[in-house]
């Protein structure tokens, strides 16, 4: 049984993937997050940068490799890993490939990618201008 899902959680886009009831021997799974996933095109802005974090864990299943867009992703099983900033457009795809082997009955794994927008420089400039204005007002009140 292979499952994938996506949803918006506050200001983050979450993509989950899993497999259960795995067969004996070596297995390979490929998951693709694309514009067809729920909420993808409404969440992403064209040309935007997104910070990607993710995690994967397996039970009775030894994960031998994980790649994200053909780049090796060697997480400590069961913990989160920083996957860095990515340029993502509403037409972009992110592909996760998982390879491993069942070690006992009931083998499964699950993982997730969390994409959060990286603020643009203009956003930081506006925030600093606002803080400067508040500082100016506070100093002016203190002097009067």
């Amino acid at each position: 049984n292979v499952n994938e899902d996506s949803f918006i959680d506050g200001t983050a886009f979450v993509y989950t993937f899993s497999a259960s009831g795995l067969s004996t021997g070596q297995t390979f799974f490929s998951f693709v997050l694309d514009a067809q996933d729920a909420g993808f095109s409404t969440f992403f802005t064209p040309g935007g940068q997104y910070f990607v974090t993710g995690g994967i864990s397996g039970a009775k299943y030894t994960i031998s490799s994980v790649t994200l867009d053909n780049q090796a992703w060697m997480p400590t099983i069961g913990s989160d890993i920083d996957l860095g900033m990515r340029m993502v457009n509403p037409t972009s795809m992110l592909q996760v490939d998982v390879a491993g082997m069942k070690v006992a009955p009931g083998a499964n794994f699950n993982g997730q990618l969390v994409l959060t927008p990286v603020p643009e420089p203009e956003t930081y400039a506006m925030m600093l201008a606002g803080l400067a204005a508040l500082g100016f007002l506070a100093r002016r009140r203190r002097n009067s």
Side-chain angles (χ1 to χ4, degrees):
N1 298 326
V2 177
N3 296 301
E4 54 185 323
D5 193 17
S6 58
F7 56 93
I8 297 173
D9 183 15
T11 59
F13 184 86
V14 181
Y15 175 68
T16 63
F17 52 94
S18 64
S20 60
L22 304 178
S23 61
T24 304
Q26 186 73 23
T27 55
F28 178 82
F29 299 91
S30 188
F31 302 92
V32 178
L33 167 63
D34 63 19
Q36 302 304 312
D37 289 284
F40 188 93
S41 60
T42 57
F43 180 77
F44 292 101
T45 55
Q49 283 192 332
Y50 295 85
F51 192 70
V52 181
T53 57
I56 188 168
S57 62
K60 302 176 185 175
Y61 183 75
T62 302
I63 298 172
S64 57
S65 73
V66 181
T67 61
L68 175 63
D69 286 344
N70 296 317
Q71 292 182 338
W73 169 22
M74 295 304 295
T76 303
I77 303 304
S79 66
D80 289 342
I81 186 169
D82 171 2
L83 300 171
M85 277 191 285
R86 303 263 178 168
M87 293 294 288
V88 179
N89 291 308
T91 57
S92 294
M93 295 186 330
L94 293 174
Q95 181 171 333
V96 179
D97 297 317
V98 180
M101 183 171 290
K102 173 184 174 178
V103 294
N108 65 74
F109 71 85
N110 58 61
Q112 72 175 15
L113 297 178
V114 179
L115 291 82
T116 53
V118 174
E120 295 186 14
E122 294 84 9
T123 304
Y124 286 118
M126 286 177 42
M127 183 180 72
L128 288 174
L131 288 173
L134 288 174
F136 174 76
L137 289 174
R139 183 175 179 157
R140 188 170 167 202
R141 282 187 181 168
R142 188 174 56 201
N143 288 341
S144 58

